[in-house]
Amino acid sequence: MSKIKPSQGAPYARIMGVGGYRPTRVVPNEVILETIDSSDEWIRSRSGIATRHWASEEETVAAMSVAASGKAIADAGIMPEQIGAVIVSTVSHFKQTPAIATEIAYKIGAGKPAAFDISAGCAGFGYGLTLAKGMIVEGSAEYVLVIGVERLSDLTDLHDRATAFLFGDGAGAVVVGPSKVPAIGPTVWGSEGDKSETIKQTVAWDEFHAERPEKFPAITQEGQAVFRWAVFEMAKVAQQALDAAGIAPEDLDVFIPHQANMRIIDSMVKTLKLPEHVTVARDVETTGNTSAASIPLAMERLLATGQAKSGDTALVIGFGAGLVYAATVVTLP
């Protein structure tokens, strides 16, 4: 017989508030064309991207996260000191240790919460959301702050025609708290490690330290392979998430996929046979691919512009380097 006292958590968890931060500098395709041989029409037709935001020196990973977190906490109607855990998904915080989550927790006045970083690329928000849900139901935290943040401009090779136009910077955050009714569905997640070379950092940090190559490490990807995987495989994962939540496509109000590429988004909508009444996030047009930040940023914009409303049922799915993925159905805050 175990002597360990059982955890006393909430029956369910929900997203209570959302916040986002986009850097002030807006970068049009014309700037990208200064370093690659392409055209505005080609970039728009291949990706749907017209502009993206690039961070200034002052708009650090921590600074953007603090700004987004403040909005999410206010939107949730709680105080910072009530946050019991801070989870940050990022691939562009360049210190292996300490975790940037600890700095963010201190700067928002959260007291002494659990704080850690995760690295799950563009699926990172979904991974963080799932961890937060588990903490609340298990009872180790009442409120959890989940942040997706990237400064991908630091990892972009502006001379790489395949990726120079893709990436942007920004931070998105949500507060996850207790709920009396189901509001975050089961997560369908996983990885396909045999495809890990399709999106990667060009040079490992230890190699960079040892050899000091002229080029700083950047993100590279096999565009066609990633596109095919996202279009054909991620629609299946999205459908599995709907099935796990007991939701049919016609029951959805909103679809918020990772903002990787407009063609991928449109293809997933078609494959899932989403009805016309479903609002689809297409934030990629003006924000670019912000990896772990893209879903909460898109969620915040839909709510702020009235395209989505509190209580709507939304399917969210992230996918990227690894290759990893995570999809779930949530009730919007």
Side-chain angles (χ1 to χ4, degrees):
M1 178 73 70
S2 173
K3 297 180 180 180
I4 299 174
K5 181 181 177 181
S7 300
Q8 299 295 319
Y12 305 103
R14 67 187 178 101
I15 299 175
M16 298 179 59
V18 59
Y21 180 84
R22 292 173 171 81
T24 55
R25 184 187 176 193
V26 177
V27 179
N29 288 338
E30 285 73 20
V31 172
I32 306 298
L33 296 175
E34 293 174 4
T35 52
I36 61 171
D37 180 17
S38 187
S39 68
D40 177 64
E41 189 279 330
W42 187 90
I43 293 174
R44 288 174 184 259
S45 66
R46 292 302 181 97
S47 69
I49 299 172
T51 61
R52 73 284 294 146
H53 295 256
W54 283 356
S56 66
E57 187 175 343
E58 292 75 26
E59 292 169 315
T60 62
V61 166
M64 293 190 294
S65 297
V66 168
S69 298
K71 294 178 182 178
I73 292 169
D75 192 43
I78 66 169
M79 300 300 292
E81 53 266 28
Q82 293 178 265
I83 299 292
V86 177
I87 303 172
V88 179
S89 178
T90 184
V91 299
S92 48
H93 169 53
F94 292 153
K95 289 183 180 178
Q96 195 74 34
T97 190
I100 193 65
T102 59
E103 179 183 341
I104 295 165
Y106 172 74
K107 288 184 174 179
I108 64 172
K112 298 180 180 180
F116 58 95
D117 299 349
I118 59 175
S119 178
C122 304
F125 175 74
Y127 276 51
L129 190 65
T130 304
L131 292 172
K133 173 186 173 183
M135 289 178 177
I136 291 160
V137 173
E138 185 269 341
S140 59
E142 185 176 12
Y143 301 102
V144 179
L145 179 65
V146 179
I147 303 166
V149 57
E150 301 294 0
R151 272 183 55 122
L152 294 179
S153 58
D154 292 335
L155 286 169
T156 300
D157 180 353
L158 294 179
H159 297 277
D160 179 6
R161 190 173 184 270
T163 60
F165 58 89
L166 285 176
F167 302 117
D169 303 335
V174 299
V175 172
V176 182
S179 175
K180 294 181 180 179
V181 297
I184 300 175
T187 298
V188 176
W189 57 357
S191 65
E192 297 184 28
D194 59 316
K195 302 179 181 67
S196 61
E197 292 295 301
T198 55
I199 305 175
K200 63 181 180 179
Q201 185 171 299
T202 52
V203 181
W205 291 116
D206 56 346
E207 295 173 10
F208 181 76
H209 175 73
E211 300 178 12
R212 299 282 178 175
E214 290 185 10
K215 279 192 174 182
F216 190 76
I219 295 174
T220 184
Q221 71 173 24
E222 297 175 19
Q224 287 300 315
V226 172
F227 180 87
R228 288 192 297 270
W229 175 77
V231 168
F232 296 110
E233 298 301 323
M234 290 306 96
K236 298 176 186 177
V237 172
Q239 184 62 56
Q240 290 170 21
L242 289 173
D243 295 342
I247 297 292
E250 55 267 26
D251 297 325
L252 280 178
D253 300 304
V254 184
F255 179 43
I256 311 177
H258 165 49
Q259 301 294 293
N261 180 304
M262 196 75 80
R263 292 170 64 203
I264 291 175
I265 294 171
D266 290 340
S267 295
M268 291 182 72
V269 169
K270 183 177 180 180
T271 302
L272 289 168
K273 298 179 180 178
L274 296 183
E276 289 188 7
H277 76 262
V278 176
T279 297
V280 179
R282 291 188 170 87
D283 197 43
V284 66
E285 181 180 4
T286 57
T287 307
N289 178 345
T290 56
S291 189
S294 77
I295 290 175
L297 276 174
M299 183 184 296
E300 187 229 19
R301 174 164 280 175
L302 289 176
L303 289 166
T305 58
Q307 297 176 71
K309 62 183 185 298
S310 175
D312 279 352
T313 300
L315 169 63
V316 299
I317 179 170
F319 44 87
L323 292 169
V324 296
Y325 52 86
T328 188
V329 176
V330 304
T331 301
L332 294 184

